[in-house]
Amino acid sequence: MSSASIAERLQVQRERVAEAARRAGRAPEQVTLVAVSKKHPAAAIREAYAAGQRDFGENYVQELVAKAAELADCAEIRWHLIGHLQSNKARQIAGIVEQVHTVSSVKLARELNLRLEQKERESLDVLIHVNVSGEESKSGCQPEEARAILEAVGECPRLRAVGLMTMPPASEEAEDARPHFEALVALRDELGGPSVLPELSLGMSHDAEVAISAGSTMVRIGSAIFGARES
Ligand SMILES: *Cc1c(COP(=O)(O)O)cnc(C)c1O
């Protein structure tokens, strides 16, 4: 990674996202840059926040809860949970997150709704995480389960289904992600199209351009902003 600061790398990613949107004939404001801060310290988030970033993505509940507490003074942060969520952890994030990108079961939707009621929180935006590639190791629901989950979310008064999310199989070649992104867009159309599900959470550091040309409205970019993570 270069010695550029987080603020500089963030600026590069903003321009990258805006340029990809324009090339796809879309307005740059139609694509939200979610800065994925997992495994990076709160100080790194603070730096990005000072540079104007507001949407942050985290994968792990414990890490998200700890960072949200540490960064309580950064009052405008919007936390996105982008990692797999177990039902028994829904309670911990119900008061914190702005969006959950990874609702993948009816059970989880109902549990989230219950926890929101207990926190007296009016509403939470959720995306249904779909495993469109069929890889067995991947989390997310099967495409044929998405409609039932969407209907279950519809019956949860505190949840608002806003879109779909997917994570294609890891690949060196960004274009390899395209068929998976397109499969998610096709599924979204089957489920009612953009008027029902306006958001598509697609794309990461290495394939953001492909995702935006396929219709992404939220790209989840980590390493290109914060640098490599320890694995
Ligand atoms: C880690 C992660 C990202 C960010 O990946 P980078 O390659 O670092 O940009 C995006 N989405 C999900 C679901 C992740 O787990």
Side-chain angles (χ1 to χ4, degrees), residues 36 38 59 82 165 167 204-206 220-224 229:
V36 176
K38 65 170 179 240
N59 286 60
I82 62 168
M165 179 268 209
M167 198 96 158
M204 322 200 317
S205 290
H206 79 293
R220 311 177 308 265
I221 296 188
S223 47
R229 294 176 291 271

Side-chain angles (χ1 to χ4, degrees), residues 35-41 45 56-58 63 67 79 222 226:
V36 176
S37 43
K38 65 170 179 240
K39 297 188 179 171
H40 290 283
I45 298 175
F56 291 89
E58 287 281 342
E63 189 178 338
K67 285 176 180 170
W79 293 108
F226 295 108

